[in-house]
Amino acid sequence: MALIDLLDDDSVAPEISKLFDDVRGEYGFVPNILRAMAHCPDLVTVFVPLWAQIYKSPTIGSRLRALAALGTAKAQECTYCVAHMTASAKRAGVPDEQIVAIGDPAAVRTAFDEREALILETADALTTDPDGVTAELKTRLLSEFRPDEVVNIILAIGMYNLTSRFLKALSIDVESIFDAAETRRTTV
């Protein structure tokens, strides 16, 4: 159960109601993270566009971004994030056997190509230790990715770390839409 109330549509300011409508139009629902953030309208109205731009930036593409996100979620052991980022990875075309491999370094090395494995290694390193991106890892990143790609990768990992820490600290529950999807998947 969440530490704070998750605000429903009738409990938010008009500018947040519009934001909720926009998010619902794109995703089909309003994520609980936004219902929690809605307690601070001035913050959620700047957070969502920033998060959305990092999430949608074409610099690294949806597959690499989904790997960065899911790698971060699994390193954080954030149930909410893993549910959302698994769905995102599936939308980006990541097959189930690769999704399962994320979080297991040995499995990652065999399931992913070098660039993808490097993103997952970076997500794990940066998530488990703020100083975990060593000089050697930085050198490998720059040998595989352009500077703009490195920036996007690190921003994505950083943003997913921010959101997972927020979600875990406030004990925000995963939306029931994910429970229903998991139930359908395991009974089919």
Side-chain angles (χ1 to χ4, degrees):
M1 181 153 166
L3 181 65
I4 59 170
D5 291 335
L6 302 178
L7 299 179
D8 62 29
D9 291 13
D10 297 330
S11 302
V12 297
E15 68 271 18
I16 304 306
S17 183
K18 163 108 174 67
L19 179 81
F20 279 12
D21 288 344
D22 291 346
V23 169
R24 187 179 292 106
E26 185 161 342
Y27 296 102
F29 69 100
V30 177
N32 287 342
I33 188 173
L34 300 184
R35 293 187 181 284
M37 285 184 180
H39 284 278
C40 295
D42 61 318
L43 299 179
V44 73
T45 55
V46 295
F47 175 84
V48 169
L50 172 62
W51 192 90
Q53 188 57 43
I54 290 171
Y55 186 76
K56 293 179 179 180
S57 174
T59 306
I60 59 172
S62 62
R63 180 179 168 85
L64 296 181
R65 185 176 38 261
L67 294 176
L70 187 53
T72 302
K74 285 192 173 187
Q76 276 277 5
E77 298 179 4
C78 177
T79 303
Y80 183 102
C81 302
V82 169
H84 278 261
M85 296 306 104
T86 296
S88 179
K90 287 180 180 189
R91 284 191 304 275
V94 180
D96 287 340
E97 56 273 5
Q98 285 185 321
I99 288 171
V100 170
I102 296 171
D104 176 349
V108 163
R109 284 190 294 278
T110 60
F112 294 94
D113 69 29
E114 192 171 324
R115 287 168 51 95
E116 293 169 339
L118 184 55
I119 286 175
L120 291 165
E121 179 183 350
T122 303
D124 187 67
L126 186 56
T127 300
T128 57
D129 178 1
D131 295 322
V133 180
T134 63
E136 183 268 336
L137 185 53
K138 290 173 188 176
T139 298
R140 287 192 292 133
L141 281 167
L142 288 173
S143 72
E144 288 293 329
F145 297 99
R146 301 183 317 260
D148 60 325
E149 292 172 318
V150 172
V151 167
N152 196 204
I153 290 164
I154 299 301
L155 274 172
I157 294 167
M159 183 61 75
Y160 294 118
N161 268 290
L162 166 72
T163 56
S164 65
R165 285 177 167 92
F166 176 84
L167 290 158
K168 289 176 76 170
L170 296 179
S171 301
I172 306 299
D173 294 321
V174 179
E175 297 82 5
S176 60
I177 189 171
F178 288 98
D179 295 337
E182 183 62 25
T183 300
R184 278 195 308 275
R185 192 170 66 94
T186 59
T187 58
V188 172

